[in-house]
Amino acid sequence: MKVFSGSANRPLAEKVAKALRVDLSPLEIHIFPDGEKRVRLLESVVGQDCIIVQPTNPPVDSAYMELFFIVDAVKRSGAASAVVVMPYLGYQRQDHVFREGEAVSLEVVLKTLEAAGASKIIVFDLHSIKTMQVTKMPLVHLSAIPLFADEIKRRGWDTKESTLISPDMGGIRRVRLLSEMLSGMVFGAIEKERDLATGKVAALAIKELTGSLSKRALIVDDMISSGQTIVKAAQLLTQKHVEEIFVFATHPVFSDDAPRLLQELAIANVFVTDTIDVPKKKQFPKLEIISVAGTIANELQRA
Ligand code: R5P
C-alpha cells in the first residue's frame, strides 16, 4: 500500500500514514507561473494499491484539479487501485438543480474523478446522501459523530442536562444518531430559511424536540462555511433561555469572516475535525480540533 498526499491537507495525510505505519510516498507538485499544476510520482506504483488523501475544500477548483491529476498519474503508472480519501467533498451542496438553468456540480466532479481512474472514495459526513446515487464508484461514508459522542462523554455532560440541536431540519438524522450514542439525549432541529440569492440565513423555530430544552445546548452540523447558520441558531437558542452553547461541526470550511463571528458569538467552544486543515491564521481561541486520522486508518486497514 502506498499513501500519497495532495497539497490540501498534508498534516492529516501524515497522521493517516503514521497510523498505517508507512511513510508518505514522494510526489512532486509543480505550479507553473500561469497557475497550472503538474504532478509527478517519484517512485514506482506498479501493482500497488494507492491511497490519495485530498479533501476538496477551498480553493476547491485547485484541489479538484490536483486530485484528478494525481489519480491519473497513479493509474497511468500501473497502480492496481487508486483509493481517494476525500474527507471533505467540495461542490456537494449543488447536488441537484435548485433553480432552472443550474448545473449539477456534484455530478460533474464525481464523473471526472471516475474518468480519471479513481477506484473508490472515502468521505466524511456527507451533506447530502444523494451523493451515493450520483456516482457508480464505491463510496465509503464515514462519520465524525462517534468522535463527537466520545468528546461529550469525556466532558461528562449529563444526558438530562443537555440538548442536541441540528441547526436545520436536514440535519435531524445526525442529532438522532448522536442521541442514540448518548443514552437518548433530547434532540431537536431548527427550522431554517436561506435566501438562495443572498445567502442570508434566518432561524425560525425549534421543531421536533423529543423533550424539554435544557440550559446547555450542543449544536451539531456537517460544516461551518460562512458561520451564518451557527450564528442564527445560537441567537435563537439564547432567546429561548439556553445558557451554555457548544458547537460540533465535522468540516471547518471557515469562509469569509467565520472565525471572527464564531469567536465573538455567545458560545463556549467550537469543536471541528481535521477533515479540512485549518491554517493558523484561521484558528481562534474557542476552536478545538478532533482528528479523524484514526477513523480513516481503521477503514483502510479493514478494507
Ligand atoms: C446546510 O444545509 C449545512 O448543513 C450547513 O448548515 C451550512 O452549509 C453551513 O453554512 P454556513 O456556515 O455558510 O451557514
mmCIF file of all heavy atoms in Angstrom, residues 27 36-41 62-76 113 116:
data_model
loop_
_atom_site.group_PDB
_atom_site.id
_atom_site.type_symbol
_atom_site.label_atom_id
_atom_site.label_comp_id
_atom_site.label_asym_id
_atom_site.label_seq_id
_atom_site.Cartn_x
_atom_site.Cartn_y
_atom_site.Cartn_z
ATOM 1 N N LEU A 27 5.871 12.784 -3.936
ATOM 2 C CA LEU A 27 5.060 13.287 -5.047
ATOM 3 C C LEU A 27 5.483 14.727 -5.296
ATOM 4 O O LEU A 27 5.564 15.524 -4.357
ATOM 5 C CB LEU A 27 3.589 13.246 -4.615
ATOM 6 C CG LEU A 27 2.534 13.834 -5.513
ATOM 7 C CD1 LEU A 27 2.371 12.965 -6.753
ATOM 8 C CD2 LEU A 27 1.201 13.900 -4.775
ATOM 9 N N GLU A 36 -1.101 26.759 -13.672
ATOM 10 C CA GLU A 36 -1.346 25.344 -13.992
ATOM 11 C C GLU A 36 -0.441 24.472 -13.129
ATOM 12 O O GLU A 36 0.641 24.888 -12.731
ATOM 13 C CB GLU A 36 -1.061 25.086 -15.479
ATOM 14 C CG GLU A 36 -2.112 25.707 -16.381
ATOM 15 C CD GLU A 36 -1.922 25.323 -17.851
ATOM 16 O OE1 GLU A 36 -0.986 24.565 -18.167
ATOM 17 O OE2 GLU A 36 -2.706 25.809 -18.678
ATOM 18 N N LYS A 37 -0.916 23.236 -12.850
ATOM 19 C CA LYS A 37 -0.131 22.340 -11.999
ATOM 20 C C LYS A 37 0.341 21.129 -12.775
ATOM 21 O O LYS A 37 -0.360 20.659 -13.682
ATOM 22 C CB LYS A 37 -0.981 21.847 -10.823
ATOM 23 C CG LYS A 37 -1.247 22.907 -9.796
ATOM 24 C CD LYS A 37 -2.036 22.361 -8.628
ATOM 25 C CE LYS A 37 -2.315 23.457 -7.630
ATOM 26 N NZ LYS A 37 -3.052 23.006 -6.469
ATOM 27 N N ARG A 38 1.515 20.628 -12.387
ATOM 28 C CA ARG A 38 1.988 19.363 -12.953
ATOM 29 C C ARG A 38 2.301 18.463 -11.767
ATOM 30 O O ARG A 38 2.984 18.891 -10.825
ATOM 31 C CB ARG A 38 3.262 19.588 -13.761
ATOM 32 C CG ARG A 38 3.844 18.297 -14.337
ATOM 33 C CD ARG A 38 5.213 18.509 -14.949
ATOM 34 N NE ARG A 38 6.172 18.931 -13.944
ATOM 35 C CZ ARG A 38 7.258 19.658 -14.218
ATOM 36 N NH1 ARG A 38 7.522 20.045 -15.439
ATOM 37 N NH2 ARG A 38 8.091 20.006 -13.252
ATOM 38 N N VAL A 39 1.782 17.223 -11.769
ATOM 39 C CA VAL A 39 2.138 16.321 -10.673
ATOM 40 C C VAL A 39 2.970 15.175 -11.235
ATOM 41 O O VAL A 39 2.808 14.783 -12.401
ATOM 42 C CB VAL A 39 0.894 15.777 -9.916
ATOM 43 C CG1 VAL A 39 -0.028 16.877 -9.478
ATOM 44 C CG2 VAL A 39 0.141 14.746 -10.731
ATOM 45 N N ARG A 40 3.851 14.662 -10.388
ATOM 46 C CA ARG A 40 4.733 13.581 -10.841
ATOM 47 C C ARG A 40 5.050 12.666 -9.653
ATOM 48 O O ARG A 40 5.491 13.134 -8.601
ATOM 49 C CB ARG A 40 6.015 14.203 -11.405
ATOM 50 C CG ARG A 40 6.975 13.206 -11.942
ATOM 51 C CD ARG A 40 8.091 13.898 -12.723
ATOM 52 N NE ARG A 40 9.168 12.948 -12.935
ATOM 53 C CZ ARG A 40 10.386 13.073 -12.433
ATOM 54 N NH1 ARG A 40 10.714 14.137 -11.739
ATOM 55 N NH2 ARG A 40 11.293 12.154 -12.651
ATOM 56 N N LEU A 41 4.800 11.369 -9.830
ATOM 57 C CA LEU A 41 5.135 10.404 -8.777
ATOM 58 C C LEU A 41 6.643 10.199 -8.808
ATOM 59 O O LEU A 41 7.234 10.133 -9.886
ATOM 60 C CB LEU A 41 4.448 9.052 -9.030
ATOM 61 C CG LEU A 41 2.959 9.079 -9.386
ATOM 62 C CD1 LEU A 41 2.438 7.660 -9.560
ATOM 63 C CD2 LEU A 41 2.167 9.791 -8.287
ATOM 64 N N SER A 62 -8.908 24.227 -7.461
ATOM 65 C CA SER A 62 -7.498 23.857 -7.484
ATOM 66 C C SER A 62 -7.304 22.483 -6.819
ATOM 67 O O SER A 62 -6.559 21.628 -7.316
ATOM 68 C CB SER A 62 -6.725 24.957 -6.753
ATOM 69 O OG SER A 62 -5.454 24.559 -6.465
ATOM 70 N N ALA A 63 -8.015 22.250 -5.706
ATOM 71 C CA ALA A 63 -7.897 20.956 -5.012
ATOM 72 C C ALA A 63 -8.402 19.829 -5.907
ATOM 73 O O ALA A 63 -7.797 18.746 -5.974
ATOM 74 C CB ALA A 63 -8.686 20.995 -3.704
ATOM 75 N N TYR A 64 -9.505 20.071 -6.609
ATOM 76 C CA TYR A 64 -10.045 19.023 -7.504
ATOM 77 C C TYR A 64 -9.092 18.737 -8.656
ATOM 78 O O TYR A 64 -8.818 17.585 -8.970
ATOM 79 C CB TYR A 64 -11.420 19.423 -8.048
ATOM 80 C CG TYR A 64 -12.555 18.848 -7.244
ATOM 81 C CD1 TYR A 64 -13.414 19.667 -6.532
ATOM 82 C CD2 TYR A 64 -12.786 17.469 -7.188
ATOM 83 C CE1 TYR A 64 -14.460 19.142 -5.771
ATOM 84 C CE2 TYR A 64 -13.822 16.942 -6.430
ATOM 85 C CZ TYR A 64 -14.656 17.774 -5.734
ATOM 86 O OH TYR A 64 -15.677 17.248 -4.986
ATOM 87 N N MET A 65 -8.581 19.795 -9.295
ATOM 88 C CA MET A 65 -7.693 19.570 -10.441
ATOM 89 C C MET A 65 -6.479 18.751 -10.017
ATOM 90 O O MET A 65 -6.084 17.796 -10.683
ATOM 91 C CB MET A 65 -7.248 20.905 -11.058
ATOM 92 C CG MET A 65 -8.340 21.660 -11.784
ATOM 93 S SD MET A 65 -9.257 20.671 -12.987
ATOM 94 C CE MET A 65 -8.049 20.506 -14.273
ATOM 95 N N GLU A 66 -5.911 19.112 -8.864
ATOM 96 C CA GLU A 66 -4.736 18.385 -8.376
ATOM 97 C C GLU A 66 -5.094 16.910 -8.135
ATOM 98 O O GLU A 66 -4.339 16.006 -8.508
ATOM 99 C CB GLU A 66 -4.319 19.057 -7.073
ATOM 100 C CG GLU A 66 -2.900 18.764 -6.663
ATOM 101 C CD GLU A 66 -2.571 19.538 -5.398
ATOM 102 O OE1 GLU A 66 -2.411 20.770 -5.468
ATOM 103 O OE2 GLU A 66 -2.484 18.898 -4.332
ATOM 104 N N LEU A 67 -6.247 16.693 -7.535
ATOM 105 C CA LEU A 67 -6.689 15.318 -7.268
ATOM 106 C C LEU A 67 -6.844 14.523 -8.565
ATOM 107 O O LEU A 67 -6.385 13.381 -8.679
ATOM 108 C CB LEU A 67 -8.012 15.360 -6.478
ATOM 109 C CG LEU A 67 -8.670 14.020 -6.183
ATOM 110 C CD1 LEU A 67 -7.743 13.109 -5.371
ATOM 111 C CD2 LEU A 67 -9.978 14.229 -5.411
ATOM 112 N N PHE A 68 -7.498 15.137 -9.567
ATOM 113 C CA PHE A 68 -7.674 14.432 -10.856
ATOM 114 C C PHE A 68 -6.308 14.027 -11.419
ATOM 115 O O PHE A 68 -6.128 12.916 -11.909
ATOM 116 C CB PHE A 68 -8.392 15.322 -11.892
ATOM 117 C CG PHE A 68 -9.779 15.765 -11.488
ATOM 118 C CD1 PHE A 68 -10.288 17.000 -11.898
ATOM 119 C CD2 PHE A 68 -10.593 14.959 -10.708
ATOM 120 C CE1 PHE A 68 -11.566 17.415 -11.539
ATOM 121 C CE2 PHE A 68 -11.879 15.367 -10.341
ATOM 122 C CZ PHE A 68 -12.361 16.599 -10.755
ATOM 123 N N PHE A 69 -5.347 14.946 -11.329
ATOM 124 C CA PHE A 69 -4.016 14.672 -11.904
ATOM 125 C C PHE A 69 -3.300 13.567 -11.126
ATOM 126 O O PHE A 69 -2.637 12.714 -11.719
ATOM 127 C CB PHE A 69 -3.148 15.942 -11.908
ATOM 128 C CG PHE A 69 -3.696 17.060 -12.761
ATOM 129 C CD1 PHE A 69 -3.368 18.384 -12.491
ATOM 130 C CD2 PHE A 69 -4.532 16.804 -13.838
ATOM 131 C CE1 PHE A 69 -3.874 19.412 -13.270
ATOM 132 C CE2 PHE A 69 -5.033 17.833 -14.617
ATOM 133 C CZ PHE A 69 -4.709 19.144 -14.331
ATOM 134 N N ILE A 70 -3.432 13.567 -9.796
ATOM 135 C CA ILE A 70 -2.730 12.532 -9.003
ATOM 136 C C ILE A 70 -3.341 11.153 -9.317
ATOM 137 O O ILE A 70 -2.622 10.173 -9.527
ATOM 138 C CB ILE A 70 -2.787 12.825 -7.480
ATOM 139 C CG1 ILE A 70 -2.131 14.172 -7.168
ATOM 140 C CG2 ILE A 70 -2.090 11.713 -6.704
ATOM 141 C CD1 ILE A 70 -2.324 14.654 -5.733
ATOM 142 N N VAL A 71 -4.672 11.099 -9.369
ATOM 143 C CA VAL A 71 -5.329 9.817 -9.689
ATOM 144 C C VAL A 71 -4.877 9.349 -11.070
ATOM 145 O O VAL A 71 -4.518 8.171 -11.267
ATOM 146 C CB VAL A 71 -6.872 9.961 -9.624
ATOM 147 C CG1 VAL A 71 -7.560 8.715 -10.176
ATOM 148 C CG2 VAL A 71 -7.332 10.220 -8.198
ATOM 149 N N ASP A 72 -4.853 10.250 -12.028
ATOM 150 C CA ASP A 72 -4.430 9.885 -13.384
ATOM 151 C C ASP A 72 -2.981 9.373 -13.374
ATOM 152 O O ASP A 72 -2.663 8.350 -13.985
ATOM 153 C CB ASP A 72 -4.554 11.098 -14.316
ATOM 154 C CG ASP A 72 -4.143 10.744 -15.733
ATOM 155 O OD1 ASP A 72 -4.910 10.039 -16.415
ATOM 156 O OD2 ASP A 72 -3.027 11.135 -16.147
ATOM 157 N N ALA A 73 -2.108 10.070 -12.642
ATOM 158 C CA ALA A 73 -0.686 9.679 -12.607
ATOM 159 C C ALA A 73 -0.535 8.276 -12.021
ATOM 160 O O ALA A 73 0.213 7.444 -12.539
ATOM 161 C CB ALA A 73 0.102 10.695 -11.784
ATOM 162 N N VAL A 74 -1.275 8.034 -10.951
ATOM 163 C CA VAL A 74 -1.189 6.742 -10.259
ATOM 164 C C VAL A 74 -1.665 5.609 -11.180
ATOM 165 O O VAL A 74 -0.988 4.587 -11.337
ATOM 166 C CB VAL A 74 -2.037 6.846 -8.955
ATOM 167 C CG1 VAL A 74 -2.485 5.501 -8.468
ATOM 168 C CG2 VAL A 74 -1.251 7.586 -7.869
ATOM 169 N N LYS A 75 -2.799 5.811 -11.820
ATOM 170 C CA LYS A 75 -3.357 4.758 -12.677
ATOM 171 C C LYS A 75 -2.507 4.573 -13.941
ATOM 172 O O LYS A 75 -2.239 3.464 -14.380
ATOM 173 C CB LYS A 75 -4.823 5.064 -13.036
ATOM 174 C CG LYS A 75 -5.794 4.880 -11.898
ATOM 175 C CD LYS A 75 -5.746 3.508 -11.230
ATOM 176 C CE LYS A 75 -5.992 2.337 -12.122
ATOM 177 N NZ LYS A 75 -7.176 1.603 -11.967
ATOM 178 N N ARG A 76 -2.067 5.691 -14.490
ATOM 179 C CA ARG A 76 -1.252 5.655 -15.709
ATOM 180 C C ARG A 76 0.092 4.972 -15.460
ATOM 181 O O ARG A 76 0.708 4.432 -16.374
ATOM 182 C CB ARG A 76 -1.015 7.119 -16.142
ATOM 183 C CG ARG A 76 -0.590 7.347 -17.539
ATOM 184 C CD ARG A 76 -0.514 8.842 -17.775
ATOM 185 N NE ARG A 76 -1.836 9.430 -17.946
ATOM 186 C CZ ARG A 76 -2.517 9.416 -19.082
ATOM 187 N NH1 ARG A 76 -2.009 8.865 -20.155
ATOM 188 N NH2 ARG A 76 -3.709 9.967 -19.155
ATOM 189 N N LEU A 113 -13.793 12.456 -11.658
ATOM 190 C CA LEU A 113 -12.927 11.652 -10.795
ATOM 191 C C LEU A 113 -12.938 10.185 -11.242
ATOM 192 O O LEU A 113 -11.899 9.517 -11.307
ATOM 193 C CB LEU A 113 -13.419 11.775 -9.342
ATOM 194 C CG LEU A 113 -12.499 11.286 -8.245
ATOM 195 C CD1 LEU A 113 -11.138 11.959 -8.328
ATOM 196 C CD2 LEU A 113 -13.130 11.545 -6.886
ATOM 197 N N ALA A 116 -10.989 9.783 -14.390
ATOM 198 C CA ALA A 116 -9.535 9.850 -14.167
ATOM 199 C C ALA A 116 -8.992 8.500 -13.687
ATOM 200 O O ALA A 116 -7.809 8.237 -13.782
ATOM 201 C CB ALA A 116 -9.207 10.939 -13.159
#
